[in-house]
Amino acid sequence: MQAVILAAGLGTRISSLTHNQIPKGLLKVAGREILYRTLTYLQKNGVNEFIVVVNPQFKKRYEDFFKKYSFSVKFVLNSSPERGNGYSLFLAKELVKDKFVLVMSDHLYEEAFVKEAIGKEGLIVDAQGKYIDSEEATKVKINQDRVVEIGKSLRDYQAFDTGFFVLTPEVFKVAEELVSSKDVVELSEIVKKAGLKVSFVNGYFWMDVDTPEDLAKARKFLVKTAVKGAGDGLISRLINRRISTWVSSYLVEKVSPNQATFFTFILGILSALVALINVPLGGVLYQVSSILDGIDGEIARASLRTSRWGGYLDSVLDRYVDFAFLLALMWKTAPPLSFFPVVCMAMFGSVMVSYSTERYKAAFGEDIYVKVPAMKYLLGKRDERVFLIMLFCLFNRIFELFLILAVLTNLRVILTLIFAWRAQRFLT
Amino acid sequence: MQAVILAAGLGTRISSLTHNQIPKGLLKVAGREILYRTLTYLQKNGVNEFIVVVNPQFKKRYEDFFKKYSFSVKFVLNSSPERGNGYSLFLAKELVKDKFVLVMSDHLYEEAFVKEAIGKEGLIVDAQGKYIDSEEATKVKINQDRVVEIGKSLRDYQAFDTGFFVLTPEVFKVAEELVSSKDVVELSEIVKKAGLKVSFVNGYFWMDVDTPEDLAKARKFLVKTAVKGAGDGLISRLINRRISTWVSSYLVEKVSPNQATFFTFILGILSALVALINVPLGGVLYQVSSILDGIDGEIARASLRTSRWGGYLDSVLDRYVDFAFLLALMWKTAPPLSFFPVVCMAMFGSVMVSYSTERYKAAFGEDIYVKVPAMKYLLGKRDERVFLIMLFCLFNRIFELFLILAVLTNLRVILTLIFAWRAQRFLT
C-alpha cells in the first residue's frame, strides 16, 4: 500500500515553534519527529511506499530525514504551495497506483488510531476529538455516510476531520476538475465536491501541533501512555508511575533511555552505600531509585526507541541493585549465624520472584501477567518490595524485614508455579 | 497433503514382540507407538489427512489409537491381507485425491528424515542404511533415477528401500493392472513395474523394527538423540550426558518426565541435608543429582512428551536445589561475618547465571547459546558449578569454593551482558 504525505505547507503559523525554519512535520515531540511516528505506524500496518509532496525550499531537509531512517520514499515537488493542499494532492497523481492513505505531515496520531483507520474508507473522522481544541479544529457535517460540509466555522457538525484518509485514485478526477478551473484548491474543497465517504474512528489521541502548548500537551500524553503496565505492582500504579511519568516528560528530549538506566543503577548502588552509614536515609534513596527506574522504559517507549537490549540490561542491573541493598542491610545489622539462613532466603527469594516470571516468558513466549491476570494481585513485585524495605528501614526493623521478605518472596514463587501450572493444564 | 499408511500386515514374524497380538505399528518404542512418531512428524510437515489400510481384526485397536491422539483419519479395510501390501495400497485408491505420502506403519523414522523426504519424489532410498541390518533390508537397483530391481536378495544395488514414498495417483493404474491379473501383489512389484523415480535421503535414522534387539537399538538411539545440546556445559558433555542417557534408555518406558523431575529435586535437597552431616558425601550426592537432572528432559524428548511447563518447573526447582546446597555448606562451615558477603555473592551469582541467560531468551525470543556460540565456552553453567562444588567438598575447601564461585558466576554474568550487547549491536 502507498501513502501520500502532504508536507508542502509554508508553516508560517508555527514560526514560534520552528526557530530555524524547520517544516512542522520534522519538529520533534518527545524525542522524535512528528512525521517519524506517522511513518513508523503506517509502515507497521502495511504501507510500504511513501509519496511526499514537499516545498522545494525544504526538500533537502526531508531527504536527510528519509535517508536517516531509510523509509522507502518518492518526492513530488510543489513549487506553488500557495495554490493550497488540494493542489499538492493533485501533484501526487502520477505516482499513485491503487487505494492509498493520505495524511498530513504535521498531525500526530497514536498507533492504535493508525491501526484502526487504515482498514477503513474515505475521510476518517472522530466524533469525540478528546485531545483537540474544538474551536480550531476542522468540523465535518455528514449525511448518509457522506461529507456534505467541511470547515472550521461550521455550527452544525457530527465529527472532526482527523486529517487521515483512505482513498482510491478516483479522487484525482475531482482534484483535476478543480485545479483546472481555479488557482487555489484546498483539500476540503475536494473532499466536499467528491462527497467523500466518512468513517468514524473515535476517542484516540490525535492532534495538529500548532502552538507550544500543543507541543507540551502532546509530549505529556506520549509519555503517560508509554507506561508498559503489565507487571506493574501496587506501589508502581499508586505512586511510582505518577512521579516517573512526570519526570520523564521533562527528560524525554534530553536523556537517552540507556543514560537513564545507567543513572538509576548508580543511584541504586549509592543507596546501598548510604544504608551502610544511615539505614533510613538509604531506604529513602532506594525508593527514589525505584521510582526513577521507570524512566528509561518510559522515555524509550515515548520516543519509539525501545530496544530489547535496553530492557535486558535494566533487568539484570535491577537484580544487582536489590542484592547490593540487602547485602548492605545485612552488613549493617550484623545478624548472628543462626539468622543467616533467613537473610540468604530473603536475598535468594527476591531474585527468584523475577526469575520465575522471566523464565516463564522464556518457556512460554508470553508474559505471565497477560496469561494469568490474577498474577497482578500477588504481592512481592519489585516496586512493592522496595517500598516495604524503605518502610522497615525508616523504623530500623531490619530483622523483621528479612523475615518478611524471606517468606513473602518464596511464597510468591510457589504461587507463581501453581498459577503457571493451572494456566497450562487447560491447554494439553 | 494426504498420507496413506499401510497397516494391514499380519505381523506374524513379530509375535515375540507383541504378546497380546498388538499390530506392530502400535508397538511402543521409548514410550510412544511407532506409528505415533511417524504421524506426528508427517503432520508437522504438512500432512493433514491420514488414510490407514487396516486388517479388520485390528480395526478397533487402530480406532482407539487415532481417537486417543485425535489425528484426522479415514480407515480402509483390507479383509484379504494375504493378497500383499500392493493390494492394500490399491484399496486406498478411492480416497486419494492428489500427490500423497505412502509409508509403512511399522517403520521408525527420525524427524529430520521425514522433513527432508516429504519434499522429494517417488521411492525414498538411503545409500547408507546406517542403522539397519543390510542382510534383512530391501535393496534397490537404480538406473537413471528409476527403480529397475527391488528385493532383499539383490547383489547389485545402490541403495536401501526406506519404506517411505511420495507418489501421485498415477501409481494406482499400475496397481490396478497387477491386482486384476493376479492374486498376491506386493508393493515392490508395483514399484518395479511403474519404474518409480528414486530420491536419495541419506544417513538419517530409520528402521523396520523386527526383533527385540531392533527394539533396544531403536530405544537407545531415540534417547541418545534426545539430548538438547545447546546450553550443555563441559561436564555435561564429558560425563553427565553419557551416564544420564544410559539411565534414561532404561527408564524411558517406566518413568514420566515429571516423575523424574520430582525425584531429582528430592535427591538434590537430600544431598544438601547430607552435606550438613558429611560434606564430601553430600558433594558426591549433589553431583549424582546433577547427572540425573538430565533424565527428565531426555525422557520427555525421546517419548515426544516435552512440555513447556515441565522445563519451567525443572528450572525453578534447580535454582532451589543449588541454593539449598550452598546454604547447607554455609551452615556447616559457619564462616565469620566478614566472609558473609562472599557467601552471599556466590549464592546470588549462581542464580544470576541462569537469570541472565533466561532473561535473554525472554527479551530476544531466542537462545543466547544459539545466538552467541562463544557463550558455550564461558565456564560457570550449572553442570560445571556442581562438579566444581563436589571437588571442593571432597577436599573440604569450602571457603575457597565460595570465593571462586563468587568471582566465577558474577564474572560470567558480566560477560553474558557484553556478549549480548555485541550480538545486538549489529542488528540496529
Side-chain angles (χ1 to χ4, degrees):
Chain A
M1 202 175 186
Q2 295 174 302
V4 174
I5 316 282
L6 301 190
L10 290 171
T12 40
R13 284 185 305 158
I14 46 147
S15 52
S16 69
L17 283 176
T18 59
H19 329 283
N20 301 318
Q21 275 282 61
I22 299 175
K24 210 165 58 163
L26 299 189
L27 198 68
K28 286 189 179 182
V29 182
R32 287 286 192 187
E33 297 84 355
I34 292 175
L35 192 52
Y36 175 82
R37 291 173 194 277
T38 310
L39 298 176
T40 302
Y41 299 152
L42 285 172
Q43 192 163 278
K44 269 174 87 172
N45 288 284
V47 172
N48 47 29
E49 191 184 63
F50 298 99
I51 298 160
V52 185
V53 186
V54 298
N55 183 329
Q57 177 192 353
F58 290 133
K59 184 170 183 246
K60 178 77 175 61
R61 281 183 186 275
Y62 276 104
E63 274 176 352
D64 291 347
F65 168 79
F66 276 90
K67 201 173 286 168
K68 180 174 164 197
Y69 294 117
S70 53
F71 290 107
S72 163
V73 67
K74 283 180 185 156
F75 287 106
V76 175
L77 291 186
N78 178 359
S79 316
S80 314
E82 71 284 356
R83 291 195 64 187
N85 57 4
Y87 178 68
S88 281
L89 170 62
F90 168 72
L91 292 178
K93 185 185 169 203
E94 298 306 319
L95 293 174
V96 171
K97 291 177 202 126
D98 207 340
K99 198 172 126 178
F100 67 104
V101 172
L102 170 65
V103 71
M104 306 304 113
S105 69
D106 55 3
H107 279 50
L108 262 178
Y109 304 95
E110 72 172 304
E111 186 171 4
F113 174 92
V114 174
K115 197 175 173 179
E116 193 173 326
I118 212 167
K120 306 247 170 168
E121 223 180 290
L123 168 61
I124 311 301
V125 297
D126 180 351
Q128 300 173 11
K130 273 192 195 172
Y131 300 90
I132 56 168
D133 175 354
S134 59
E135 281 298 305
E136 277 294 306
T138 303
K139 293 101 181 165
V140 186
K141 185 176 174 184
I142 303 161
N143 187 14
Q144 294 190 320
D145 279 1
R146 300 270 164 191
V147 178
V148 287
E149 278 294 346
I150 181 165
K152 291 203 172 182
S153 49
L154 286 192
R155 289 285 120 207
D156 171 21
Y157 62 89
Q158 286 78 39
F160 300 102
D161 168 6
T162 67
F164 195 109
F165 303 75
V166 181
L167 301 172
T168 60
E170 276 179 39
V171 77
F172 291 114
K173 283 185 205 155
V174 181
E176 191 157 17
E177 273 178 51
L178 284 166
V179 166
S180 61
S181 64
K182 53 191 287 202
D183 249 18
V184 177
V185 179
E186 295 299 339
L187 193 53
S188 53
E189 296 173 66
I190 299 175
V191 168
K192 188 180 162 188
K193 183 161 177 163
L196 271 191
K197 187 175 167 7
V198 161
S199 297
F200 282 86
V201 173
N202 295 331
Y204 291 108
F205 172 80
W206 62 269
M207 68 189 297
D208 176 4
V209 178
D210 257 338
T211 63
E213 290 72 35
D214 290 345
L215 195 65
K217 194 166 141 192
R219 189 193 300 119
K220 204 160 179 185
F221 175 86
L222 291 171
V223 171
K224 279 271 175 200
T225 53
V227 170
K228 200 177 166 198
D232 266 13
L234 196 66
I235 301 299
S236 239
R237 279 172 305 198
L238 291 181
I239 304 172
N240 300 4
R241 286 296 187 189
R242 292 172 193 215
I243 304 174
S244 65
T245 51
W246 181 78
V247 178
S248 291
S249 69
Y250 282 94
L251 294 181
V252 65
E253 274 145 23
K254 301 179 185 81
V255 171
S256 80
N258 283 343
Q259 284 168 342
T261 300
F262 185 70
F263 171 79
T264 318
F265 173 64
I266 296 296
L267 189 66
I269 295 296
L270 193 71
S271 73
L273 294 175
V274 169
L276 285 175
I277 302 159
N278 183 317
V279 168
L281 188 62
V284 171
L285 214 56
Y286 186 33
Q287 167 64 16
V288 171
S289 83
S290 169
I291 291 174
L292 301 185
D293 191 37
I295 291 180
D296 49 6
E298 290 161 12
I299 291 183
R301 282 183 291 271
S303 61
L304 304 184
R305 274 172 223 279
T306 53
S307 86
R308 291 164 170 199
W309 158 254
Y312 177 57
L313 179 69
D314 186 41
S315 279
V316 173
L317 294 184
D318 279 353
R319 303 292 80 74
Y320 274 93
V321 167
D322 293 346
F323 172 68
F325 197 84
L326 292 181
L327 195 64
L329 288 187
M330 183 279 284
W331 188 260
K332 179 79 179 170
T333 48
L337 181 68
S338 63
F339 194 70
F340 251 92
V342 175
V343 173
C344 293
M345 278 186 71
M347 285 176 176
F348 179 71
S350 295
V351 62
M352 284 305 287
V353 167
S354 304
Y355 184 84
S356 58
T357 53
E358 296 298 344
R359 182 64 177 78
Y360 182 93
K361 197 169 178 191
F364 291 86
E366 69 178 323
D367 208 304
I368 194 168
Y369 295 108
V370 174
K371 179 76 186 171
V372 187
M375 280 290 297
K376 267 183 234 157
Y377 306 106
L378 270 191
L379 289 176
K381 278 179 279 291
R382 182 169 197 251
D383 55 312
E384 294 156 351
R385 292 200 311 273
V386 173
F387 191 76
L388 195 78
I389 291 171
M390 178 193 65
L391 287 184
F392 279 80
C393 283
L394 286 177
F395 297 100
N396 241 313
R397 315 296 299 191
I398 307 306
F399 279 80
E400 291 84 343
L401 171 65
F402 277 125
L403 256 174
I404 289 178
L405 280 180
V407 174
L408 181 71
T409 55
N410 291 291
L411 190 65
R412 189 189 150 95
V413 173
I414 294 169
L415 289 173
T416 303
L417 285 179
I418 293 173
F419 277 139
W421 176 72
R422 284 177 46 181
Q424 60 86 45
R425 204 166 41 123
F426 303 107
L427 295 177
T428 49
Chain B
M1 202 175 184
Q2 295 173 301
V4 173
I5 317 281
L6 300 189
L10 290 171
T12 40
R13 283 185 307 157
I14 46 147
S15 53
S16 68
L17 283 176
T18 58
H19 330 283
N20 301 318
Q21 274 283 62
I22 299 176
K24 210 165 58 165
L26 299 188
L27 198 67
K28 287 190 179 181
V29 181
R32 286 286 191 188
E33 297 84 354
I34 292 175
L35 191 51
Y36 176 83
R37 292 175 191 276
T38 310
L39 297 177
T40 302
Y41 299 153
L42 284 172
Q43 193 164 278
K44 270 175 88 172
N45 288 285
V47 172
N48 46 29
E49 191 183 63
F50 299 100
I51 298 159
V52 185
V53 187
V54 297
N55 184 327
Q57 177 192 354
F58 291 133
K59 185 172 182 242
K60 179 77 177 61
R61 283 184 183 275
Y62 276 105
E63 272 176 353
D64 292 346
F65 168 79
F66 276 90
K67 202 173 286 168
K68 180 175 165 196
Y69 294 117
S70 54
F71 290 107
S72 162
V73 68
K74 284 180 182 155
F75 287 105
V76 175
L77 291 185
N78 180 359
S79 315
S80 314
E82 70 285 354
R83 290 196 63 189
N85 56 4
Y87 177 69
S88 281
L89 170 62
F90 168 72
L91 291 178
K93 184 184 170 201
E94 298 307 320
L95 294 174
V96 171
K97 292 179 202 123
D98 207 343
K99 198 170 127 178
F100 67 103
V101 171
L102 170 64
V103 69
M104 305 304 113
S105 68
D106 55 3
H107 279 51
L108 262 179
Y109 304 95
E110 72 173 301
E111 186 171 3
F113 174 91
V114 174
K115 197 173 174 179
E116 193 172 326
I118 211 167
K120 306 245 170 169
E121 223 180 288
L123 168 61
I124 311 301
V125 298
D126 180 351
Q128 299 171 12
K130 272 191 193 174
Y131 300 89
I132 56 169
D133 175 354
S134 60
E135 280 298 304
E136 278 293 305
T138 304
K139 292 103 183 164
V140 185
K141 185 177 175 181
I142 303 160
N143 188 15
Q144 293 190 320
D145 279 359
R146 300 271 164 191
V147 178
V148 287
E149 278 292 347
I150 181 165
K152 292 203 173 185
S153 50
L154 287 192
R155 289 287 118 211
D156 171 22
Y157 62 90
Q158 286 78 39
F160 300 102
D161 170 5
T162 67
F164 195 108
F165 304 75
V166 181
L167 300 173
T168 60
E170 278 180 38
V171 78
F172 291 114
K173 285 185 203 155
V174 181
E176 191 156 17
E177 274 179 50
L178 285 166
V179 167
S180 61
S181 67
K182 53 193 287 206
D183 251 17
V184 178
V185 179
E186 295 298 339
L187 194 52
S188 54
E189 294 173 66
I190 298 175
V191 168
K192 187 181 164 188
K193 184 162 178 170
L196 272 191
K197 187 175 168 6
V198 162
S199 296
F200 282 87
V201 173
N202 296 332
Y204 291 108
F205 172 80
W206 62 269
M207 69 190 295
D208 177 4
V209 178
D210 257 338
T211 64
E213 290 74 34
D214 289 345
L215 195 65
K217 193 166 141 192
R219 188 192 302 118
K220 203 162 179 182
F221 175 85
L222 291 171
V223 172
K224 279 269 174 202
T225 54
V227 170
K228 200 177 167 197
D232 267 12
L234 195 66
I235 302 299
S236 241
R237 279 172 301 195
L238 292 180
I239 303 172
N240 301 3
R241 287 296 187 189
R242 292 174 193 214
I243 304 174
S244 65
T245 52
W246 182 78
V247 178
S248 291
S249 70
Y250 281 94
L251 295 181
V252 66
E253 275 143 25
K254 302 179 185 80
V255 171
S256 82
N258 285 343
Q259 284 168 341
T261 300
F262 184 72
F263 171 79
T264 318
F265 172 65
I266 296 297
L267 189 65
I269 295 296
L270 193 71
S271 73
L273 295 176
V274 169
L276 285 175
I277 301 159
N278 183 315
V279 168
L281 188 62
V284 171
L285 215 54
Y286 187 33
Q287 167 63 17
V288 171
S289 83
S290 169
I291 291 174
L292 301 185
D293 190 38
I295 291 179
D296 49 8
E298 290 161 13
I299 290 182
R301 283 183 289 271
S303 62
L304 304 183
R305 274 172 222 278
T306 52
S307 86
R308 292 164 171 199
W309 158 255
Y312 177 57
L313 179 69
D314 186 41
S315 278
V316 174
L317 294 184
D318 280 352
R319 303 290 81 73
Y320 274 93
V321 166
D322 293 347
F323 172 68
F325 198 85
L326 292 182
L327 193 65
L329 288 186
M330 183 278 283
W331 189 260
K332 179 79 179 171
T333 47
L337 181 69
S338 61
F339 193 70
F340 251 93
V342 175
V343 173
C344 292
M345 279 187 69
M347 285 176 177
F348 179 72
S350 295
V351 61
M352 284 305 287
V353 167
S354 304
Y355 183 85
S356 58
T357 53
E358 295 297 343
R359 182 64 178 78
Y360 182 93
K361 197 170 177 191
F364 292 86
E366 67 178 325
D367 208 305
I368 194 169
Y369 295 108
V370 172
K371 179 75 185 172
V372 187
M375 280 290 296
K376 268 183 235 157
Y377 305 107
L378 271 191
L379 288 177
K381 278 180 280 291
R382 181 168 198 252
D383 55 312
E384 294 156 351
R385 292 199 310 274
V386 173
F387 191 76
L388 194 78
I389 291 171
M390 176 192 69
L391 286 183
F392 279 80
C393 282
L394 286 177
F395 297 101
N396 240 312
R397 315 296 299 191
I398 307 306
F399 280 81
E400 290 86 342
L401 171 65
F402 277 125
L403 257 175
I404 288 178
L405 280 181
V407 174
L408 180 72
T409 56
N410 291 292
L411 190 66
R412 189 190 150 94
V413 173
I414 294 169
L415 289 173
T416 303
L417 285 178
I418 294 174
F419 277 138
W421 177 73
R422 284 177 46 182
Q424 60 86 43
R425 204 165 42 122
F426 302 107
L427 293 178
T428 49

